[in-house]
Amino acid sequence: MEHTVHSERDIKHLHDKCKHHLYQFVQVELNDGSVYQGILHSHDREKLYLIMPKMHQHMEDESSSRLFPFFGPFGLYGFPFFGMRAFGPFFPFFI
């Protein structure tokens, strides 16, 4: 079952979660099943922003509204809260 953000309570919960994980490596799962990992850079009322490697060229064309280019191989990508299924810390390594 997919969870979508509808209420002010959901948005407040996501903003609190963003504050807690700011500048940490996180994973975002969207309602369409796609998954992204990056450093949580910032958030505003509608989106959270991840620093992540630039996507392939065809992907950038499709999601140009998400990309704010940086120099080098990284970009700042925005993900709207309403299209998010889940996000949280990402631990790619076994400790």
Side-chain angles (χ1 to χ4, degrees), residues 5-80:
V5 177
H6 290 287
S7 70
E8 285 294 318
R9 189 172 133 187
D10 290 340
I11 290 176
K12 177 163 179 13
H13 172 73
L14 288 170
H15 283 203
D16 291 344
K17 200 170 179 179
C18 283
K19 287 177 188 176
H20 182 73
H21 295 295
L22 200 58
Y23 309 120
Q24 295 179 18
F25 200 55
V26 297
Q27 179 169 299
V28 173
E29 183 179 355
L30 303 181
N31 287 334
D32 66 4
S34 55
V35 177
Y36 301 93
Q37 295 92 22
I39 296 171
L40 180 56
H41 175 271
S42 58
H43 65 93
D44 60 21
R45 177 91 178 120
E46 299 173 358
K47 296 180 182 180
L48 65 77
Y49 299 91
L50 297 183
I51 297 173
M52 36 190 272
K54 288 185 180 176
M55 298 179 184
H56 300 293
Q57 184 61 37
H58 74 277
M59 194 72 171
E60 286 180 3
D61 294 340
E62 294 172 6
S63 64
S64 60
S65 65
R66 286 189 188 162
L67 177 66
F68 301 91
F70 279 19
F71 293 107
F74 295 95
L76 184 63
Y77 293 82
F79 295 91

